[in-house]
Amino acid sequence: MPEKMPEKIPDNMPADIMTVPQELDRPALYYLTGNEYLSLPEIDPQTAGLHSLNLLHMGSAGLLEFRGRPGAPLLTPFLKIEGREVPLAKKLAWSYLHHWVPAFTWKEKTLNLKGELYFPPGHRGGVYRLTLTNTGSRTRNLEAGFSLNWQAFNHIIFNPREVTGQHSAFYNEWTKSLILEARSGLPLAALALGLDAGVPWEISTGPAPLFAPHPAPQPAPPPPLAAARASVSLRLKPGESRTLPLYLAANLEGDGAGTTIVDLRRHGHAALWAETAAWLEERSLRLTEFTSLANRNLFFNYFY
């Protein structure tokens, strides 16, 4: 019979054996969401950008992470008014819908922008939805969309470690989606992004320079694995609203991720939102205090 383990740590245990993490002086504040398949733990409250998106990978006993870099998140929404890009940073008001869906609003005198990120349970993906409303008395010419900067692909158990391989990004005409595919011989994971069918992505990848400038003032960031941009031009009449849904989907490889985008489009962003809201509402706790915090903790523990 094995010896009974001590019920508490002995007082005489050397301090250098303990694995106590360092406390962060200034922890970053993020919004988060996800479902059983995708986790979005770093939604930037300043820019509404996604710094990372990860998937649970049973074969590697950890998470596989698609990541941008600090100055350029993996995915960021943008807005142009009359051809001029307007800064969204530090002008967003946030809330959680149904305790789990991050939502923001941005307003100027005659224009409102609303954003929502929802991932219905049971689906290998979800929606990043933008809604624009013209509250003024004249027609507005707008352009709205998303920019992507795929900088790294990591394996995470406690600390992230870069996974090298034959990573690629391409626009798939068959599914009308941008595919990010990570491979190390065999496929590891793929992420697909698609606006309404027929809206293409402009992809640009910057190769590393052959020679660094000398002397270099500071180390240059590594070139992205892929940079891309997709948008829709809108002409909004007074009182008119338009919705721009971006579908995101994950799978083992690119074909599976792309066809999942097709499946999400067939459901439609409105039906996927109704499905998400109904699922969360049915399982929300009714409490006298701390209702939102308790339910967000409940959904976090369920999905994460």
Side-chain angles (χ1 to χ4, degrees):
M1 183 174 180
E3 183 181 352
K4 185 179 179 182
M5 294 296 292
E7 296 182 359
K8 67 175 183 177
I9 298 173
D11 295 333
N12 61 349
M13 178 174 285
D16 58 357
I17 294 180
M18 299 294 293
T19 55
V20 180
Q22 293 181 348
E23 184 175 349
L24 298 175
D25 293 332
R26 296 182 179 180
L29 301 178
Y30 295 110
Y31 285 82
L32 57 87
T33 193
N35 63 10
E36 307 97 324
Y37 294 100
L38 298 89
S39 297
L40 291 78
E42 298 175 279
I43 303 170
D44 195 323
Q46 302 298 325
T47 64
L50 313 182
H51 286 280
S52 65
L53 183 150
N54 65 60
L55 317 168
L56 181 63
H57 192 268
M58 301 300 288
S60 63
L63 302 175
L64 296 180
E65 176 193 63
F66 294 87
R67 171 166 286 278
R69 57 183 171 84
L74 176 67
L75 184 71
T76 310
F78 67 86
L79 172 65
K80 290 184 179 181
I81 301 177
E82 305 296 340
R84 180 179 60 86
E85 188 161 342
V86 297
L88 303 180
K90 300 181 181 180
K91 297 182 179 180
L92 305 177
W94 286 85
S95 63
Y96 274 105
L97 306 178
H98 299 283
H99 315 298
W100 186 242
V101 175
F104 68 83
T105 56
W106 175 93
K107 295 182 180 181
E108 60 146 39
K109 292 181 180 179
T110 59
L111 185 66
N112 291 350
L113 170 66
K114 180 173 67 172
E116 301 147 314
L117 295 98
Y118 53 97
F119 290 77
H123 293 270
R124 294 179 184 266
V127 185
Y128 193 156
R129 183 169 66 177
L130 302 178
T131 302
L132 287 153
T133 303
N134 183 355
T135 60
S137 58
R138 64 184 181 88
T139 300
R140 308 296 299 272
N141 294 308
L142 310 170
E143 182 183 346
F146 296 86
S147 60
L148 176 131
N149 190 294
W150 182 21
Q151 193 72 26
F153 184 73
N154 299 320
H155 175 245
I156 301 174
I157 294 179
F158 184 73
N159 293 305
R161 291 173 173 82
E162 184 178 2
V163 179
T164 58
Q166 301 80 41
H167 309 327
S168 62
F170 55 93
Y171 181 73
N172 184 266
E173 286 286 350
W174 181 42
T175 60
K176 307 298 181 185
S177 59
L178 173 68
I179 307 291
L180 311 182
E181 189 174 57
R183 304 177 66 92
S184 183
L186 293 173
L188 294 172
L191 177 66
L193 306 95
L195 294 170
D196 291 330
V199 178
W201 288 78
E202 298 178 4
I203 304 174
S204 60
T205 54
L210 295 177
F211 301 98
H214 182 77
Q218 59 183 10
L225 294 171
R229 197 173 175 94
S231 64
V232 173
S233 296
L234 306 170
R235 185 174 173 83
L236 286 188
K237 298 178 181 179
E240 187 177 8
S241 293
R242 287 284 299 276
T243 298
L244 177 65
L246 173 69
Y247 299 96
L248 300 95
N251 215 310
L252 176 63
E253 41 67 46
D255 291 340
T259 51
T260 304
I261 289 286
V262 175
D263 177 66
L264 294 173
R265 284 199 189 106
R266 288 171 177 167
H267 283 82
H269 65 89
L272 292 171
W273 167 243
E275 188 177 336
T276 305
W279 193 97
L280 294 171
E281 186 65 24
E282 182 180 350
R283 289 159 179 80
S284 294
L285 303 175
R286 275 67 176 175
L287 305 173
T288 56
E289 291 184 284
F290 307 112
T291 300
S292 183
L293 182 62
N295 279 289
R296 191 154 62 252
N297 187 62
L298 169 70
F299 294 135
F300 175 85
N301 281 277
Y302 181 84
F303 290 122
Y304 279 61

PDB file of all heavy atoms in Angstrom, residues 121-138:
ATOM      1  N   PRO A 121     -22.679  27.540 -29.421  1.00  0.00           N
ATOM      2  CA  PRO A 121     -22.243  26.196 -29.015  1.00  0.00           C
ATOM      3  C   PRO A 121     -22.633  25.155 -30.056  1.00  0.00           C
ATOM      4  O   PRO A 121     -23.691  25.223 -30.676  1.00  0.00           O
ATOM      5  CB  PRO A 121     -22.976  25.980 -27.689  1.00  0.00           C
ATOM      6  CG  PRO A 121     -23.184  27.357 -27.155  1.00  0.00           C
ATOM      7  CD  PRO A 121     -23.455  28.203 -28.358  1.00  0.00           C
ATOM      8  N   GLY A 122     -21.729  24.195 -30.258  1.00  0.00           N
ATOM      9  CA  GLY A 122     -21.988  23.131 -31.208  1.00  0.00           C
ATOM     10  C   GLY A 122     -21.495  23.406 -32.609  1.00  0.00           C
ATOM     11  O   GLY A 122     -21.502  22.500 -33.451  1.00  0.00           O
ATOM     12  N   HIS A 123     -21.057  24.627 -32.890  1.00  0.00           N
ATOM     13  CA  HIS A 123     -20.537  24.983 -34.211  1.00  0.00           C
ATOM     14  C   HIS A 123     -19.027  25.174 -34.129  1.00  0.00           C
ATOM     15  O   HIS A 123     -18.513  25.704 -33.140  1.00  0.00           O
ATOM     16  CB  HIS A 123     -21.184  26.269 -34.715  1.00  0.00           C
ATOM     17  CG  HIS A 123     -22.640  26.139 -35.021  1.00  0.00           C
ATOM     18  ND1 HIS A 123     -23.118  25.776 -36.261  1.00  0.00           N
ATOM     19  CD2 HIS A 123     -23.734  26.320 -34.226  1.00  0.00           C
ATOM     20  CE1 HIS A 123     -24.446  25.752 -36.223  1.00  0.00           C
ATOM     21  NE2 HIS A 123     -24.845  26.068 -35.002  1.00  0.00           N
ATOM     22  N   ARG A 124     -18.341  24.803 -35.193  1.00  0.00           N
ATOM     23  CA  ARG A 124     -16.885  24.983 -35.239  1.00  0.00           C
ATOM     24  C   ARG A 124     -16.524  26.392 -35.712  1.00  0.00           C
ATOM     25  O   ARG A 124     -15.649  26.581 -36.560  1.00  0.00           O
ATOM     26  CB  ARG A 124     -16.248  23.953 -36.177  1.00  0.00           C
ATOM     27  CG  ARG A 124     -16.362  22.513 -35.705  1.00  0.00           C
ATOM     28  CD  ARG A 124     -15.729  21.568 -36.698  1.00  0.00           C
ATOM     29  NE  ARG A 124     -15.904  20.175 -36.305  1.00  0.00           N
ATOM     30  CZ  ARG A 124     -15.024  19.476 -35.602  1.00  0.00           C
ATOM     31  NH1 ARG A 124     -13.897  20.053 -35.211  1.00  0.00           N
ATOM     32  NH2 ARG A 124     -15.252  18.218 -35.285  1.00  0.00           N
ATOM     33  N   GLY A 125     -17.201  27.373 -35.176  1.00  0.00           N
ATOM     34  CA  GLY A 125     -16.922  28.742 -35.579  1.00  0.00           C
ATOM     35  C   GLY A 125     -17.934  29.702 -34.997  1.00  0.00           C
ATOM     36  O   GLY A 125     -18.708  29.353 -34.092  1.00  0.00           O
ATOM     37  N   GLY A 126     -17.923  30.918 -35.533  1.00  0.00           N
ATOM     38  CA  GLY A 126     -18.823  31.950 -35.040  1.00  0.00           C
ATOM     39  C   GLY A 126     -18.774  33.176 -35.920  1.00  0.00           C
ATOM     40  O   GLY A 126     -18.342  33.112 -37.085  1.00  0.00           O
ATOM     41  N   VAL A 127     -19.189  34.311 -35.352  1.00  0.00           N
ATOM     42  CA  VAL A 127     -19.384  35.526 -36.133  1.00  0.00           C
ATOM     43  C   VAL A 127     -18.800  36.723 -35.399  1.00  0.00           C
ATOM     44  O   VAL A 127     -18.972  36.863 -34.184  1.00  0.00           O
ATOM     45  CB  VAL A 127     -20.890  35.776 -36.396  1.00  0.00           C
ATOM     46  CG1 VAL A 127     -21.082  36.990 -37.321  1.00  0.00           C
ATOM     47  CG2 VAL A 127     -21.550  34.548 -36.990  1.00  0.00           C
ATOM     48  N   TYR A 128     -18.103  37.570 -36.144  1.00  0.00           N
ATOM     49  CA  TYR A 128     -17.724  38.905 -35.677  1.00  0.00           C
ATOM     50  C   TYR A 128     -18.571  39.858 -36.522  1.00  0.00           C
ATOM     51  O   TYR A 128     -18.292  40.063 -37.687  1.00  0.00           O
ATOM     52  CB  TYR A 128     -16.233  39.148 -35.885  1.00  0.00           C
ATOM     53  CG  TYR A 128     -15.673  40.360 -35.153  1.00  0.00           C
ATOM     54  CD1 TYR A 128     -14.320  40.425 -34.833  1.00  0.00           C
ATOM     55  CD2 TYR A 128     -16.473  41.440 -34.797  1.00  0.00           C
ATOM     56  CE1 TYR A 128     -13.789  41.516 -34.152  1.00  0.00           C
ATOM     57  CE2 TYR A 128     -15.947  42.531 -34.123  1.00  0.00           C
ATOM     58  CZ  TYR A 128     -14.596  42.562 -33.810  1.00  0.00           C
ATOM     59  OH  TYR A 128     -14.078  43.649 -33.154  1.00  0.00           O
ATOM     60  N   ARG A 129     -19.606  40.427 -35.922  1.00  0.00           N
ATOM     61  CA  ARG A 129     -20.616  41.180 -36.676  1.00  0.00           C
ATOM     62  C   ARG A 129     -20.497  42.673 -36.404  1.00  0.00           C
ATOM     63  O   ARG A 129     -20.486  43.117 -35.258  1.00  0.00           O
ATOM     64  CB  ARG A 129     -22.010  40.672 -36.305  1.00  0.00           C
ATOM     65  CG  ARG A 129     -23.125  41.328 -37.088  1.00  0.00           C
ATOM     66  CD  ARG A 129     -24.441  40.603 -36.888  1.00  0.00           C
ATOM     67  NE  ARG A 129     -24.949  40.690 -35.527  1.00  0.00           N
ATOM     68  CZ  ARG A 129     -26.126  40.182 -35.125  1.00  0.00           C
ATOM     69  NH1 ARG A 129     -26.884  39.521 -36.007  1.00  0.00           N
ATOM     70  NH2 ARG A 129     -26.529  40.306 -33.880  1.00  0.00           N
ATOM     71  N   LEU A 130     -20.430  43.454 -37.480  1.00  0.00           N
ATOM     72  CA  LEU A 130     -20.453  44.913 -37.402  1.00  0.00           C
ATOM     73  C   LEU A 130     -21.777  45.417 -37.967  1.00  0.00           C
ATOM     74  O   LEU A 130     -22.259  44.920 -38.985  1.00  0.00           O
ATOM     75  CB  LEU A 130     -19.299  45.522 -38.204  1.00  0.00           C
ATOM     76  CG  LEU A 130     -17.879  45.104 -37.835  1.00  0.00           C
ATOM     77  CD1 LEU A 130     -16.877  45.767 -38.777  1.00  0.00           C
ATOM     78  CD2 LEU A 130     -17.557  45.431 -36.386  1.00  0.00           C
ATOM     79  N   THR A 131     -22.356  46.411 -37.294  1.00  0.00           N
ATOM     80  CA  THR A 131     -23.598  47.030 -37.764  1.00  0.00           C
ATOM     81  C   THR A 131     -23.410  48.541 -37.772  1.00  0.00           C
ATOM     82  O   THR A 131     -23.047  49.142 -36.751  1.00  0.00           O
ATOM     83  CB  THR A 131     -24.791  46.663 -36.871  1.00  0.00           C
ATOM     84  OG1 THR A 131     -24.933  45.243 -36.833  1.00  0.00           O
ATOM     85  CG2 THR A 131     -26.076  47.285 -37.408  1.00  0.00           C
ATOM     86  N   LEU A 132     -23.669  49.164 -38.925  1.00  0.00           N
ATOM     87  CA  LEU A 132     -23.529  50.606 -39.093  1.00  0.00           C
ATOM     88  C   LEU A 132     -24.904  51.226 -39.285  1.00  0.00           C
ATOM     89  O   LEU A 132     -25.725  50.713 -40.051  1.00  0.00           O
ATOM     90  CB  LEU A 132     -22.645  50.920 -40.302  1.00  0.00           C
ATOM     91  CG  LEU A 132     -21.148  50.651 -40.106  1.00  0.00           C
ATOM     92  CD1 LEU A 132     -20.487  50.349 -41.438  1.00  0.00           C
ATOM     93  CD2 LEU A 132     -20.492  51.842 -39.432  1.00  0.00           C
ATOM     94  N   THR A 133     -25.154  52.340 -38.606  1.00  0.00           N
ATOM     95  CA  THR A 133     -26.440  53.039 -38.701  1.00  0.00           C
ATOM     96  C   THR A 133     -26.183  54.518 -38.942  1.00  0.00           C
ATOM     97  O   THR A 133     -25.430  55.164 -38.199  1.00  0.00           O
ATOM     98  CB  THR A 133     -27.262  52.868 -37.405  1.00  0.00           C
ATOM     99  OG1 THR A 133     -27.452  51.472 -37.156  1.00  0.00           O
ATOM    100  CG2 THR A 133     -28.614  53.544 -37.546  1.00  0.00           C
ATOM    101  N   ASN A 134     -26.810  55.037 -39.984  1.00  0.00           N
ATOM    102  CA  ASN A 134     -26.722  56.462 -40.298  1.00  0.00           C
ATOM    103  C   ASN A 134     -27.812  57.198 -39.524  1.00  0.00           C
ATOM    104  O   ASN A 134     -29.006  57.043 -39.812  1.00  0.00           O
ATOM    105  CB  ASN A 134     -26.890  56.676 -41.802  1.00  0.00           C
ATOM    106  CG  ASN A 134     -26.737  58.134 -42.215  1.00  0.00           C
ATOM    107  OD1 ASN A 134     -26.597  59.027 -41.374  1.00  0.00           O
ATOM    108  ND2 ASN A 134     -26.765  58.391 -43.517  1.00  0.00           N
ATOM    109  N   THR A 135     -27.432  57.977 -38.525  1.00  0.00           N
ATOM    110  CA  THR A 135     -28.401  58.717 -37.707  1.00  0.00           C
ATOM    111  C   THR A 135     -28.536  60.169 -38.147  1.00  0.00           C
ATOM    112  O   THR A 135     -29.234  60.938 -37.494  1.00  0.00           O
ATOM    113  CB  THR A 135     -27.972  58.681 -36.235  1.00  0.00           C
ATOM    114  OG1 THR A 135     -26.677  59.285 -36.097  1.00  0.00           O
ATOM    115  CG2 THR A 135     -27.923  57.248 -35.722  1.00  0.00           C
ATOM    116  N   GLY A 136     -27.877  60.540 -39.254  1.00  0.00           N
ATOM    117  CA  GLY A 136     -27.910  61.920 -39.723  1.00  0.00           C
ATOM    118  C   GLY A 136     -28.969  62.163 -40.779  1.00  0.00           C
ATOM    119  O   GLY A 136     -29.840  61.325 -41.029  1.00  0.00           O
ATOM    120  N   SER A 137     -28.860  63.311 -41.441  1.00  0.00           N
ATOM    121  CA  SER A 137     -29.858  63.728 -42.433  1.00  0.00           C
ATOM    122  C   SER A 137     -29.321  63.691 -43.852  1.00  0.00           C
ATOM    123  O   SER A 137     -30.005  64.117 -44.783  1.00  0.00           O
ATOM    124  CB  SER A 137     -30.344  65.151 -42.112  1.00  0.00           C
ATOM    125  OG  SER A 137     -29.250  66.058 -42.084  1.00  0.00           O
ATOM    126  N   ARG A 138     -28.098  63.186 -44.051  1.00  0.00           N
ATOM    127  CA  ARG A 138     -27.552  63.081 -45.398  1.00  0.00           C
ATOM    128  C   ARG A 138     -26.923  61.708 -45.600  1.00  0.00           C
ATOM    129  O   ARG A 138     -26.561  61.025 -44.636  1.00  0.00           O
ATOM    130  CB  ARG A 138     -26.523  64.184 -45.667  1.00  0.00           C
ATOM    131  CG  ARG A 138     -25.288  64.123 -44.788  1.00  0.00           C
ATOM    132  CD  ARG A 138     -24.367  65.312 -45.058  1.00  0.00           C
ATOM    133  NE  ARG A 138     -23.164  65.269 -44.235  1.00  0.00           N
ATOM    134  CZ  ARG A 138     -22.044  64.642 -44.568  1.00  0.00           C
ATOM    135  NH1 ARG A 138     -21.978  63.982 -45.722  1.00  0.00           N
ATOM    136  NH2 ARG A 138     -20.986  64.658 -43.765  1.00  0.00           N
TER     137      ARG A 138
END
